[in-house]
Amino acid sequence: MGRGYMVEEAVERYLSSLCSSSPLTGLLLGQSSAQRDFVVMATRTPQREVCPLTPSPRDTLDMEWINEHARQVSRMLPGGLSVLGVFYISDAEAKDTLITLRQLVFAVQKSISRDLLWLSGDDDISERVTLHVNSTTRKTFCRTFDVRDPKSTAKPADWRYQSGVCGSWPMVWSCVEVEIPVSLPPRGARPGDLETSLQEGLKLWAQQIERGTFLLDGRKISEDTELTGPTKRNVKQSLQAQILTTPVCPGEQVPQVGASGGRVVLRGAVHTRAYLHGNKPTARLAEKALKRDLLSTVALRLNMVLEELMETQERDRLSLPTRVMCPLRGLGVGVCDYRFSDEGPLEVLDRLKEILDLEVRQEDLDHTQEEEAVTVETQPAPTEGVQRSELQAAVVPPLKPQGRSYIGAAMATVMALLAAAAALLYLDD
């Protein structure tokens, strides 16, 4: 028998409800462990609104659309949750769908990996699951592929439904203070130059976070320490964390070469959280999941801001997106979205429905973890010499280090608030 999958019963009901709309594809979401994987959610690929001029056959898959949906879903998952694989619902025989499922799972993994700021470690699980559901008989056919191996062949897997799979998963959270300078390409630069500048700006900061000291409830504990929690089912454990980092030395900074279109500095306190599976989670798992969530949420928001900055004709006004958490009723885990200051709860609800196929009520949204989005404005720049234009806004004062200097810190009595300040420095030739 191959890899085992413990699947939330709600996933079975969801897949069954989709059988009448076959053929269709979707994603399986959850968390991996060394012994088995846990599937807690499934979400179908939404219909594409803009149809091509020449409609494709009904059974032809739109790989570009499927990959983009996978990227959007991955961005809405907090630490510990990820895309574990794909499902395909059709009336075809299971053996006839293996090639399609293999293409799907490799393409989706490649699409998601492009946004990651870290390299997979030896302890990361590389097997991804594929599931075919026959829309007529409702029979399931489960196989896995090793996405690190391009020549990987299908392996059998054990797919079992169970209630309360993630009801008592521990949650680890932190409020992390960040300060990240990013050099911008000059006006009129190619779109690829913006992505390159973003990656360079995030590289050193990501290395700081990865090397940072991880504390749980104010203590440094061994990586192999098991995080024991409540023994009762559906009783959650919440752990407060800190990520202590050493400031970058001048010699470690990468010098700026070539023309520059200015600089953005992102400062503020960011809420980060991760969910840990209930199969003897360790401090090492908590550290990896929380740090990766921090890298993902900051990189995504910085990318959103810079894209707006490069696209808009008016650079004197920027909205910095805040993270909106959405706990899922009855599951014990949650998802998230990002909201600009000119957006309301209805936009968040619409995205949760469109991307994750979730019916969420407005009162389920949690806006309290981060402050309302900050709109920052520029001051008129001098006309001679060095042109300087500043965007500043301070909503939450910086956390004061005690003893060792650090960027990230967990607040003892309040949840995280997002404070952001950006600075653009335009240099003439």
Side-chain angles (χ1 to χ4, degrees), residues 98-333:
L98 269 180
I99 296 178
T100 299
L101 287 168
R102 189 183 190 280
Q103 292 174 343
L104 273 175
V105 76
F106 273 87
V108 163
Q109 183 64 28
K110 182 178 180 181
S111 176
I112 294 173
S113 299
R114 289 203 302 263
D115 291 338
L116 302 182
L117 283 179
W118 61 84
L119 298 176
S120 296
D122 295 336
D123 58 341
D124 286 316
I125 305 300
S126 59
E127 285 191 68
R128 295 294 180 267
V129 64
T130 63
L131 183 74
H132 177 257
V133 181
N134 187 290
S135 58
T136 303
T137 65
R138 308 296 171 93
K139 290 184 178 180
T140 58
F141 183 74
C142 183
R143 292 292 185 269
T144 63
F145 292 90
D146 186 347
V147 292
R148 288 182 182 172
D149 181 8
K151 299 180 180 180
S152 174
T153 57
K155 298 179 182 179
D158 184 27
W159 183 269
R160 296 187 180 184
Y161 292 107
Q162 180 179 318
S163 63
V165 170
C166 55
S168 57
W169 282 10
M171 182 186 73
V172 57
W173 65 273
S174 181
C175 175
V176 180
E177 193 174 340
V178 299
E179 181 170 347
I180 310 170
V182 176
S183 297
L184 297 175
R187 287 180 181 269
R190 297 171 300 177
D193 295 336
L194 175 61
E195 183 177 356
T196 300
S197 298
L198 174 63
Q199 294 300 325
E200 290 177 352
L202 291 173
K203 183 178 179 180
L204 280 179
W205 175 76
Q207 292 174 352
Q208 283 184 313
I209 297 301
E210 290 176 350
R211 295 196 303 258
T213 300
F214 184 77
L215 305 181
L216 276 176
D217 290 334
R219 297 181 298 113
K220 172 65 176 175
I221 60 179
S222 172
E223 292 183 346
D224 298 328
T225 302
E226 292 185 8
L227 305 180
T228 57
T231 57
K232 294 183 179 180
R233 199 171 189 179
N234 296 327
V235 176
K236 293 188 65 63
Q237 179 186 21
S238 181
L239 301 171
Q240 183 182 359
Q242 292 175 294
I243 302 173
L244 310 183
T245 65
T246 304
V248 177
C249 298
E252 292 181 303
Q253 297 181 359
V254 179
Q256 178 68 34
V257 179
S260 174
R263 188 177 68 156
V264 165
V265 179
L266 182 67
R267 301 187 184 97
V270 177
H271 176 78
T272 179
R273 72 170 56 176
Y275 299 97
L276 313 178
H277 62 72
N279 186 25
K280 298 180 180 180
T282 63
R284 177 187 179 89
L285 174 64
E287 177 178 357
K288 181 173 72 172
L290 194 67
K291 285 184 176 181
R292 288 184 175 182
D293 181 63
L294 174 61
L295 296 177
S296 296
T297 185
V298 172
L300 172 59
R301 281 187 267 194
L302 187 55
N303 187 56
M304 294 169 67
V305 170
L306 292 184
E307 285 180 353
E308 181 177 327
L309 177 65
M310 298 300 291
E311 293 175 2
T312 184
Q313 298 297 322
E314 299 180 1
R315 295 193 175 194
D316 60 342
R317 195 172 186 84
L318 292 175
S319 297
L320 305 178
T322 59
R323 195 177 200 183
V324 180
M325 308 306 298
C326 179
L328 300 179
R329 291 176 178 268
L331 285 184
V333 297

Side-chain angles (χ1 to χ4, degrees), residues 5 16-17 39 41 43 67 81 84-85 88 99 106 138 157 159-160 176 285 292 296 318 331 361 365 386 416:
Y5 288 85
S16 296
S17 69
V39 180
M41 285 180 57
T43 179
N67 291 340
L81 299 183
L84 296 182
Y88 181 37
I99 296 178
F106 273 87
R138 308 296 171 93
W159 183 269
R160 296 187 180 184
V176 180
L285 174 64
R292 288 184 175 182
S296 296
L318 292 175
L331 285 184
R361 296 178 297 185
L365 300 179
V386 177

Side-chain angles (χ1 to χ4, degrees), residues 410-423:
M411 300 176 68
T413 57
V414 297
M415 299 300 286
L417 300 176
L418 176 67

Side-chain angles (χ1 to χ4, degrees), residues 10 72 317 335:
Q72 296 296 330
R317 195 172 186 84
V335 294

Side-chain angles (χ1 to χ4, degrees), residues 343-382:
E343 293 181 322
L346 293 181
E347 284 86 350
V348 176
L349 296 178
D350 289 342
R351 283 191 292 268
L352 290 172
K353 175 58 180 176
E354 178 184 5
I355 299 176
L356 294 176
D357 200 18
L358 290 175
E359 295 287 351
V360 179
R361 296 178 297 185
Q362 185 170 330
E363 54 265 30
D364 293 332
L365 300 179
D366 184 1
H367 304 269
T368 63
Q369 306 306 318
E370 294 184 350
E371 184 58 71
E372 292 294 328
V374 179
T375 300
V376 290
E377 301 183 4
T378 62
Q379 300 295 327

